[in-house]
Amino acid sequence: MLEVLTAFTKSLRDLTRGAVLWQAIWPPLVALVFWVTVGITVWAHGVALMADIVPQLPWSGWEWVAHWAGVFLLLAGFAALTYFTAVLLVAVFALPHLINLVAAHHYPDLGRHGENVFWGSLVNTLMVGAIFVVGSLVTLPLLLIPGAMLVLPLFWGAWLNQRTFCFDALAEHATPTEMRRLTQDNRMPFTVAGLATAGVAHLPLINLLAPAFAALVFVHLGLAALRRQRQDRGIEL
């Protein structure tokens, strides 16, 4: 859709600005260092746990299949936790700075009528994140089914991006009434943006910037939609 493509283009341009790029880099780096440290600490216990979860093959000499299946699931679990932690850091700490930079450059005409931004963002991200983490971990064994690796991570990533950044992108500018109308009237563009940004998270190297890039896409998508809505209806309190 044209709105999503425009948001992608503007987000890529924003990432070339030093201040924006810094806010995009530090959250995933912190998340990666944290979970790599945790992973190294609990790796042996994690492998033992996966050995109890993954069914053993009945044929002698094929035990290595179950072992590496367990290692794969353990790595997938840590990948999900790392992504959520990066999203949490972006949503709560980096996104306010990104919104200031993007709004001042692209949407200086939009007034800010949101409230309880920090706590609202934190509560929303934690609630959505809890569902994401539990859902991802519960469905981990399904990744061993052929083809599931192409579907499940994309589904959970798209859901997390949409539920987190759709709220955060609008919280500072939109009133509760405006936010409800925007999410209802723009359900399809937000869904497409969630899927597309989740796909970016699976591209090597580029995935380091995926959480912040997703945030930028939803900021552009949301604020542009809010501008159009206010041009038609004015500010709805």
Side-chain angles (χ1 to χ4, degrees), residues 7-24:
F8 262 67
T9 303
K10 290 183 177 179
S11 299
L12 288 172
R13 290 176 181 172
D14 286 336
L15 285 174
T16 63
R17 301 162 58 192
V20 173
L21 186 60
W22 166 244
Q23 296 298 332

Side-chain angles (χ1 to χ4, degrees), residues 189-212:
F190 287 141
T191 300
V192 172
L195 285 169
T197 53
V200 172
H202 292 81
L203 299 177
L205 298 180
I206 299 176
N207 55 9
L208 185 66
L209 301 176

Side-chain angles (χ1 to χ4, degrees), residues 70-116:
V71 170
F72 167 75
L73 293 182
L74 188 60
L75 290 173
F78 276 113
L81 291 170
T82 301
Y83 186 75
F84 164 66
T85 304
V87 168
L88 174 65
L89 294 174
V90 168
V92 178
F93 298 105
L95 189 54
H97 299 287
L98 292 173
I99 289 176
N100 288 334
L101 292 168
V102 171
H105 191 265
H106 296 281
Y107 311 95
D109 55 305
L110 282 180
R112 302 192 181 203
H113 299 279
E115 54 185 19
N116 298 325

Side-chain angles (χ1 to χ4, degrees), residues 4 8 154 157-159 161-162 188-199 214 217-218 221:
V4 178
F8 262 67
L154 187 65
W159 185 86
N161 288 346
Q162 182 179 357
M188 183 57 69
F190 287 141
T191 300
V192 172
L195 285 169
T197 53
V217 168
F218 275 93
L221 200 59

